[in-house]
Amino acid sequence: MKDVQSERDTRGVYLNRVGIEDLRIPITLKTPSSGPLNTVAEVRLAVDLPAEERGTHMSRFVEIINEIEILKPHKIEGVLEHLKERLGSKSAFLDMTFPYFIKKKAPVTGIESLIDIDCAINAELIGEDFSFFITSSVPVTTLCPCSKEISDRGAHNQKAIATITIKSSSLIWYEELVELVERNASCPVYSLLKRPDEKFVTESAYDNPKFVEDLTRDIYKELEKIEEIEEFEVYVKSFESIHNHNAFALAIKKEG
Amino acid sequence: MKDVQSERDTRGVYLNRVGIEDLRIPITLKTPSSGPLNTVAEVRLAVDLPAEERGTHMSRFVEIINEIEILKPHKIEGVLEHLKERLGSKSAFLDMTFPYFIKKKAPVTGIESLIDIDCAINAELIGEDFSFFITSSVPVTTLCPCSKEISDRGAHNQKAIATITIKSSSLIWYEELVELVERNASCPVYSLLKRPDEKFVTESAYDNPKFVEDLTRDIYKELEKIEEIEEFEVYVKSFESIHNHNAFALAIKKEG
Amino acid sequence: MKDVQSERDTRGVYLNRVGIEDLRIPITLKTPSSGPLNTVAEVRLAVDLPAEERGTHMSRFVEIINEIEILKPHKIEGVLEHLKERLGSKSAFLDMTFPYFIKKKAPVTGIESLIDIDCAINAELIGEDFSFFITSSVPVTTLCPCSKEISDRGAHNQKAIATITIKSSSLIWYEELVELVERNASCPVYSLLKRPDEKFVTESAYDNPKFVEDLTRDIYKELEKIEEIEEFEVYVKSFESIHNHNAFALAIKKEG
Amino acid sequence: MKDVQSERDTRGVYLNRVGIEDLRIPITLKTPSSGPLNTVAEVRLAVDLPAEERGTHMSRFVEIINEIEILKPHKIEGVLEHLKERLGSKSAFLDMTFPYFIKKKAPVTGIESLIDIDCAINAELIGEDFSFFITSSVPVTTLCPCSKEISDRGAHNQKAIATITIKSSSLIWYEELVELVERNASCPVYSLLKRPDEKFVTESAYDNPKFVEDLTRDIYKELEKIEEIEEFEVYVKSFESIHNHNAFALAIKKEG
């Protein structure tokens, strides 16, 4: 049977990426303390394509993805090495997004419940150069300092999502990123709060007013201090309770 | 050229609906005061299909949709009559969702700005029986009565969306639905608020705490009083500022 | 601490549903053959609220959801009983959507790969009346009979999603619904196809042309024959390869 | 009333962007031939924030957006100049996404219908340096060359979306980008096709098989020839009719 993909291409156009996306698979992740975590990832897998090859072999991406079971950073580099080899490419890319689950204790009653956090892994192997990025989108409460200052009572507050992406030279757990964001927010959010907890989070938020700009900077300051983190990006989006549109702030730290 | 769709079908299965969806078109709507409003609608158009016909003629839906320009309730009944006739069906259905825009004055400074509201029209002509439903999803602020009551300072609040669907015997403007929802919320939301306005909305929300249950019931009570409204549904969703999940309440009033 | 939710309400408005939504949790499902399946569900949990109670206790929903581990139909009835009791309501509702994974063999080479299928469970306990619905949205290929008939070569084809919802008196596995849809489509879809498989699916689809109307009816006919299925709905949506909008058909079978 | 945003910040963190997003507004665009086009844009507006300022003034973004009416490239530079000045920043950014509508003639019958195309504008003013990018996501049909080659009859085909982003030194109309993509696809898609048209598009697609890699390269080759285009990116995504996941290719041309 003819292999059309393997035909020689004469158009002279190098493709930066070619591959598959929107593939969902069940995955098992290691966690720092509570055993393996089962979740579902949406996957994008790609290689680059030399100018002289007509097409890639899409089925091989799925073959390789079928081999992944327990995700660990060093295993992903192997997956990308494998991909490069099987597809005869110079670069290989893996992007995964998935909900991650963390057990949290309510602040006063201590009752435990799970909270879901959108996380991602983005890995690339360009030549022999391997880069590994992790992302966590942490929901928190922000309370507006201006609203509090100018009002005789109350202050508008809302859910905000702080999305951190880091490139690190050593393992950073999602739990660390989540805690880092939470201790800088007006208040963390929880899945389960009894009345004493609700009193606590309401007053905490009121006592810690933060603009999106404040939260972005406070997270930035903490990330900057962690030596293993070479590059990072902080993007905070506030689902404004007084507007229909939303507010955001973004700070980028580049290597070097 | 053979007309495969017109073949006789022997499977004996009546189809409740067959048609097209995910079609976007620019539309012009009448407004009560500020002239024609240009927006973009996502459209679903359908008929029923008798058991003995193999297929409908999908291109005719687009032909008919191309004729629509200015939307008015009585015009939509004509569109559905036309559809029934052209497709030889007993029923015809039109569903449209679109952003609607309302000019609002900031509560203290009076500065005007536009706010976008998701709205919908759902019309059906079953035999000679025409029904017309309109929907408006109004963003507002809700402030938690429990949080206010039990806390020494502050109270959690957030954006909530109140979605009202009504079936009415006479014209109800979207503006009326939006105002009805807003005056029952802890506070309306705005696109443009200067500091004196922000002070006002913060204190107003604090002075009008509402659970999703409260807002749903208060809207229900007002809709009930409007004689022309034969049926309605109120669905309020609160984008909880202290949780990652959301809270909702739903109340349904059926005709008769 | 005052329990504001428990206050007596005098507005006289019964709420059909009040609860939480957009909560994600990891779940484990039983499968007919391949052991427990780990996935992630998005959950909505609700009760009705008597006219004379001001609010429900939202935290109890999360407490109850935290207890769910392995989902089985009879367990869900227990969950709803529990919910009714804890919340003092007359009705209770559980809605879950989740990706389900099925191992499929490529049609010629027999190579196995996983495919993800969007599925749902909707359960309600109204008084003592328990109803249980399952939904599966199965991706398949449809090839247009009209296009094939009138063209000298080729025929347009595309991905279509057939969504089946059934109410059954006994256990029906998702695997059964998926197979039922697949054998009625122009061709199933797969995650992994080598060239001999691709030849097979191309020719199969060409040999089995189906309109959305055809696929809807053929699924309907098969569901009708299964005695345990009391009610069902078939909704097929075709992501048209020759249009920007999509086509759909819907057939509903009501009990009795 | 105290202006908390204007406080001096001592954290020393520069914010790359701060602003508003998810704001929808009605806009009017110029078209090359058919008069002004009314549509709805989703807008993101931002500036950078010096390390020593605590917050930006979010309401000013909305004030400025309220002034925009007819969008033209040179007008947008003015908007960003204005934004920089009002907010006291060094950079300003405007991102808009909107459906654009093009009247197309069916290939044989010549019947006209509108098709909706997702488009975007991304403009940035960094210091005195103004850059203007336009994006168009054009739906087309792709037919698989491998499937055609190896099969005795038929060939799998599907909807694909080709997204082109260009940075140009002079005005390029969306119509030009759409036509460029369409003439390189296996076949364009249409809103309205009668049977002679459907025969034509079926056979055209069959006669012009294209991998996502092919379509990406063919578009790249054409864009490369247009002198005014300084940078561009071509991303083609194929909604695979034989898989549940999708395939994609990406090619990037950088200035210089």
Side-chain angles (χ1 to χ4, degrees):
Chain A
M1 224 174 259
K2 202 177 153 187
D3 183 356
V4 186
Q5 280 88 348
S6 295
E7 284 173 358
R8 202 176 161 71
D9 208 280
T10 58
R11 281 166 291 198
V13 179
Y14 166 76
L15 294 180
N16 301 67
R17 293 200 188 195
V18 50
I20 60 168
E21 54 190 0
D22 308 318
L23 178 74
R24 285 182 299 181
I25 52 166
I27 59 167
T28 302
L29 294 160
K30 274 184 71 176
T31 64
S33 53
S34 55
L37 174 76
N38 297 309
T39 186
V40 172
E42 194 161 312
V43 180
R44 183 190 234 216
L45 210 50
V47 294
D48 65 342
L49 191 69
E52 57 280 3
E53 285 174 29
R54 181 163 180 203
T56 193
H57 290 85
M58 298 284 184
S59 64
R60 296 184 192 167
F61 293 99
V62 182
E63 284 170 6
I64 284 166
I65 214 66
N66 278 347
E67 302 165 20
I68 299 178
E69 257 176 296
I70 307 225
L71 267 188
K72 303 173 199 168
H74 65 278
K75 253 196 118 168
I76 285 180
E77 188 168 357
V79 170
L80 293 185
E81 289 282 10
H82 192 176
L83 201 59
K84 265 181 60 180
E85 207 178 297
R86 285 287 300 281
L87 276 306
S89 64
K90 271 176 290 187
S91 305
F93 308 90
L94 169 67
D95 303 300
M96 308 182 96
T97 57
F98 44 86
Y100 189 86
F101 296 93
I102 291 178
K103 203 166 268 180
K104 285 178 65 177
K105 285 187 175 158
V108 176
T109 60
I111 302 174
E112 282 193 333
S113 64
L114 273 189
I115 195 157
D116 57 308
I117 314 275
D118 281 311
C119 290
I121 286 171
N122 300 83
E124 48 188 48
L125 182 63
I126 300 177
E128 297 310 309
D129 216 11
F130 179 67
S131 301
F132 189 75
F133 300 85
I134 66 169
T135 295
S136 193
S137 293
V138 187
V140 293
T141 306
T142 54
L143 185 138
C144 179
C146 170
S147 169
K148 178 182 173 182
E149 173 68 34
I150 64 181
S151 303
D152 293 335
R153 51 200 179 279
H156 81 79
N157 52 75
Q158 55 266 315
K159 206 179 308 191
I161 306 281
T163 299
I164 301 180
T165 299
I166 63 167
K167 180 184 173 185
S168 173
S169 61
S170 68
L171 177 69
I172 306 274
W173 295 103
Y174 284 118
E175 282 75 359
E176 296 173 61
L177 295 183
V178 172
E179 277 160 36
L180 189 157
V181 169
E182 289 185 342
R183 70 174 167 261
N184 286 290
S186 292
C187 195
V189 300
Y190 298 86
S191 292
L192 182 46
L193 295 170
K194 303 307 279 184
R195 275 205 300 284
D197 303 308
E198 186 168 356
K199 175 180 165 60
F200 181 87
V201 299
T202 301
E203 295 172 357
S204 290
Y206 193 78
D207 296 340
N208 289 290
K210 298 262 179 146
F211 288 125
V212 281
E213 294 95 329
D214 291 323
L215 181 51
T216 305
R217 278 171 167 150
D218 293 340
I219 293 170
Y220 188 103
K221 293 285 283 181
E222 283 219 36
L223 287 173
E224 219 178 14
K225 282 182 232 153
I226 303 172
E227 244 174 72
E228 301 91 313
I229 301 181
E230 300 159 0
E231 290 183 14
F232 63 85
E233 206 175 295
V234 184
Y235 162 62
V236 180
K237 177 170 185 161
S238 164
F239 294 87
E240 296 290 285
S241 61
I242 61 170
H243 295 301
N244 199 21
H245 61 265
N246 300 307
F248 79 101
L250 171 72
I252 299 169
K253 173 78 189 306
K254 280 280 171 209
E255 214 164 343
Chain B
M1 224 173 261
K2 201 176 155 189
D3 183 355
V4 185
Q5 280 87 349
S6 296
E7 284 173 358
R8 201 174 163 72
D9 207 280
T10 57
R11 280 166 290 198
V13 179
Y14 167 76
L15 294 179
N16 300 66
R17 292 200 187 194
V18 50
I20 60 169
E21 53 190 0
D22 308 318
L23 179 74
R24 285 182 300 179
I25 53 167
I27 59 167
T28 303
L29 295 159
K30 276 185 68 174
T31 64
S33 54
S34 56
L37 173 77
N38 297 309
T39 185
V40 171
E42 192 160 314
V43 180
R44 184 191 234 217
L45 211 51
V47 294
D48 65 341
L49 190 69
E52 58 280 3
E53 285 174 29
R54 180 163 180 204
T56 193
H57 289 84
M58 298 284 185
S59 65
R60 296 184 192 168
F61 292 98
V62 182
E63 283 169 8
I64 283 165
I65 215 67
N66 277 345
E67 301 165 21
I68 300 178
E69 256 176 298
I70 308 224
L71 268 190
K72 303 172 199 169
H74 65 276
K75 256 197 114 170
I76 285 180
E77 186 168 358
V79 169
L80 293 185
E81 289 283 9
H82 191 177
L83 200 59
K84 264 180 60 179
E85 210 178 294
R86 284 287 301 282
L87 276 303
S89 64
K90 272 177 291 187
S91 304
F93 307 89
L94 169 66
D95 304 298
M96 308 182 96
T97 57
F98 44 86
Y100 190 86
F101 296 92
I102 291 178
K103 203 167 270 181
K104 285 177 66 176
K105 284 187 176 157
V108 177
T109 61
I111 302 174
E112 282 194 333
S113 64
L114 273 189
I115 195 158
D116 57 309
I117 315 275
D118 281 311
C119 290
I121 285 171
N122 300 82
E124 49 187 48
L125 183 62
I126 299 177
E128 298 310 307
D129 216 11
F130 179 66
S131 302
F132 189 74
F133 301 84
I134 66 169
T135 295
S136 194
S137 293
V138 187
V140 294
T141 306
T142 54
L143 185 138
C144 180
C146 170
S147 168
K148 179 183 173 182
E149 174 68 34
I150 63 180
S151 304
D152 294 335
R153 52 201 178 278
H156 81 79
N157 52 75
Q158 55 267 315
K159 206 179 308 190
I161 306 280
T163 299
I164 301 180
T165 299
I166 63 167
K167 180 183 172 184
S168 172
S169 61
S170 69
L171 178 68
I172 307 273
W173 294 104
Y174 285 118
E175 281 75 0
E176 297 173 60
L177 295 183
V178 172
E179 278 161 34
L180 188 156
V181 169
E182 289 185 341
R183 71 175 166 263
N184 285 291
S186 292
C187 195
V189 301
Y190 298 86
S191 293
L192 183 45
L193 295 169
K194 303 307 279 183
R195 275 204 300 284
D197 302 310
E198 187 169 355
K199 175 181 164 60
F200 181 89
V201 299
T202 301
E203 295 171 357
S204 291
Y206 193 79
D207 296 340
N208 289 289
K210 298 262 179 148
F211 289 125
V212 280
E213 293 96 328
D214 291 324
L215 181 51
T216 305
R217 278 172 167 148
D218 292 340
I219 293 169
Y220 187 104
K221 293 286 284 183
E222 283 220 36
L223 287 172
E224 217 178 18
K225 283 182 229 153
I226 304 172
E227 245 174 70
E228 300 92 312
I229 300 182
E230 300 158 2
E231 289 183 14
F232 63 84
E233 205 175 296
V234 184
Y235 162 62
V236 179
K237 177 171 185 161
S238 166
F239 294 87
E240 297 289 284
S241 61
I242 60 169
H243 296 300
N244 199 22
H245 60 265
N246 299 307
F248 80 101
L250 171 73
I252 299 168
K253 174 79 188 305
K254 281 282 170 205
E255 215 164 343
Chain C
M1 226 173 257
K2 201 175 155 189
D3 183 356
V4 186
Q5 281 87 349
S6 296
E7 284 173 359
R8 199 173 164 74
D9 208 281
T10 58
R11 280 166 291 198
V13 179
Y14 167 76
L15 294 180
N16 301 67
R17 294 201 187 193
V18 49
I20 60 168
E21 52 190 1
D22 309 319
L23 178 74
R24 285 182 300 180
I25 52 166
I27 58 167
T28 302
L29 295 160
K30 275 184 69 174
T31 63
S33 53
S34 55
L37 174 77
N38 297 309
T39 186
V40 171
E42 193 161 313
V43 179
R44 183 191 234 216
L45 211 50
V47 294
D48 64 342
L49 191 69
E52 57 281 4
E53 285 174 30
R54 181 162 179 204
T56 194
H57 289 84
M58 298 286 186
S59 64
R60 297 185 192 167
F61 293 98
V62 182
E63 283 170 7
I64 284 165
I65 214 67
N66 278 346
E67 302 165 21
I68 300 178
E69 256 176 297
I70 308 225
L71 268 188
K72 304 173 199 167
H74 66 275
K75 255 196 114 168
I76 285 180
E77 187 168 358
V79 170
L80 294 185
E81 288 283 10
H82 191 178
L83 201 59
K84 266 181 59 179
E85 209 178 296
R86 284 287 301 281
L87 275 305
S89 64
K90 271 176 290 187
S91 304
F93 308 89
L94 169 66
D95 303 300
M96 309 182 96
T97 57
F98 44 86
Y100 189 87
F101 296 93
I102 292 178
K103 203 166 269 180
K104 284 177 67 177
K105 284 185 175 159
V108 177
T109 61
I111 302 174
E112 281 194 332
S113 65
L114 273 189
I115 195 158
D116 57 309
I117 314 275
D118 281 311
C119 290
I121 286 171
N122 300 82
E124 50 187 48
L125 183 62
I126 299 179
E128 298 309 308
D129 217 11
F130 179 67
S131 300
F132 189 74
F133 300 85
I134 66 168
T135 295
S136 193
S137 293
V138 187
V140 293
T141 307
T142 55
L143 185 137
C144 179
C146 170
S147 169
K148 178 182 174 183
E149 172 69 34
I150 64 180
S151 303
D152 293 334
R153 52 201 178 278
H156 81 80
N157 52 76
Q158 54 266 315
K159 206 179 308 191
I161 305 282
T163 299
I164 301 180
T165 299
I166 63 166
K167 180 183 173 184
S168 173
S169 61
S170 68
L171 177 69
I172 306 274
W173 295 103
Y174 284 118
E175 281 75 359
E176 297 174 60
L177 294 183
V178 172
E179 278 160 36
L180 188 157
V181 169
E182 290 185 341
R183 70 175 167 263
N184 285 291
S186 293
C187 195
V189 300
Y190 299 86
S191 292
L192 182 47
L193 296 169
K194 304 306 280 183
R195 275 205 300 285
D197 302 309
E198 186 168 356
K199 175 181 165 61
F200 181 87
V201 298
T202 302
E203 295 171 358
S204 291
Y206 193 79
D207 296 340
N208 289 288
K210 298 262 179 144
F211 288 126
V212 281
E213 294 95 328
D214 291 324
L215 181 51
T216 305
R217 278 171 167 150
D218 292 341
I219 294 170
Y220 188 103
K221 293 285 284 181
E222 283 219 36
L223 287 173
E224 218 178 16
K225 282 182 230 150
I226 303 172
E227 244 174 71
E228 301 91 313
I229 300 181
E230 300 159 1
E231 288 182 14
F232 63 85
E233 207 175 295
V234 183
Y235 163 62
V236 179
K237 177 170 186 160
S238 164
F239 294 87
E240 296 289 285
S241 60
I242 61 170
H243 297 300
N244 200 21
H245 60 266
N246 300 307
F248 79 100
L250 170 73
I252 299 168
K253 173 79 189 306
K254 281 282 169 205
E255 215 164 342
Chain D
M1 226 172 258
K2 200 177 155 188
D3 183 356
V4 185
Q5 280 88 350
S6 296
E7 284 173 0
R8 199 173 165 73
D9 208 281
T10 57
R11 280 166 290 197
V13 180
Y14 167 76
L15 294 180
N16 300 67
R17 294 201 186 193
V18 49
I20 60 169
E21 53 189 1
D22 308 319
L23 178 74
R24 284 181 301 179
I25 53 167
I27 59 167
T28 303
L29 294 160
K30 275 184 69 176
T31 63
S33 54
S34 55
L37 173 77
N38 297 309
T39 186
V40 172
E42 194 161 312
V43 180
R44 184 190 233 216
L45 212 49
V47 293
D48 64 343
L49 190 70
E52 57 281 3
E53 285 174 31
R54 180 163 180 203
T56 193
H57 289 85
M58 297 285 185
S59 65
R60 296 185 192 166
F61 292 99
V62 182
E63 283 169 8
I64 284 166
I65 214 67
N66 278 346
E67 301 165 21
I68 299 178
E69 257 176 298
I70 308 223
L71 267 189
K72 303 172 199 168
H74 66 276
K75 256 197 115 167
I76 285 180
E77 187 168 357
V79 170
L80 294 184
E81 288 283 10
H82 191 177
L83 201 60
K84 264 180 60 179
E85 209 178 296
R86 285 288 301 281
L87 277 304
S89 64
K90 273 176 290 188
S91 304
F93 307 89
L94 169 66
D95 302 300
M96 308 182 95
T97 57
F98 44 86
Y100 189 86
F101 296 93
I102 292 178
K103 204 166 268 180
K104 285 177 65 176
K105 284 186 177 160
V108 177
T109 62
I111 302 174
E112 282 193 332
S113 64
L114 274 189
I115 195 157
D116 56 310
I117 314 275
D118 282 309
C119 290
I121 285 170
N122 301 83
E124 49 187 47
L125 184 61
I126 298 177
E128 298 309 308
D129 216 10
F130 180 67
S131 301
F132 189 76
F133 300 84
I134 67 169
T135 295
S136 194
S137 293
V138 187
V140 293
T141 306
T142 54
L143 185 138
C144 179
C146 170
S147 168
K148 179 181 173 183
E149 174 67 34
I150 63 181
S151 304
D152 293 335
R153 52 201 179 279
H156 81 79
N157 52 77
Q158 54 268 315
K159 206 179 308 191
I161 306 281
T163 299
I164 301 180
T165 299
I166 63 168
K167 181 183 171 184
S168 171
S169 60
S170 70
L171 177 68
I172 307 274
W173 295 103
Y174 284 117
E175 281 76 359
E176 296 173 61
L177 295 183
V178 172
E179 278 160 35
L180 188 156
V181 169
E182 290 185 341
R183 70 176 167 262
N184 286 290
S186 293
C187 194
V189 300
Y190 299 86
S191 292
L192 183 46
L193 295 169
K194 303 307 279 183
R195 275 204 300 284
D197 302 309
E198 187 169 354
K199 175 180 165 62
F200 180 88
V201 298
T202 301
E203 295 171 357
S204 291
Y206 193 78
D207 296 340
N208 290 289
K210 297 261 179 145
F211 289 125
V212 281
E213 294 97 326
D214 291 324
L215 180 52
T216 304
R217 280 171 167 149
D218 292 341
I219 293 169
Y220 188 104
K221 293 286 284 181
E222 283 220 36
L223 288 172
E224 218 178 16
K225 283 182 229 152
I226 303 172
E227 244 174 72
E228 301 91 313
I229 300 182
E230 300 158 1
E231 289 182 14
F232 62 84
E233 204 175 297
V234 183
Y235 162 61
V236 179
K237 176 171 186 160
S238 165
F239 294 87
E240 296 290 285
S241 61
I242 60 169
H243 296 300
N244 200 22
H245 60 266
N246 299 307
F248 79 102
L250 171 72
I252 299 169
K253 173 77 190 306
K254 281 281 169 206
E255 215 164 343

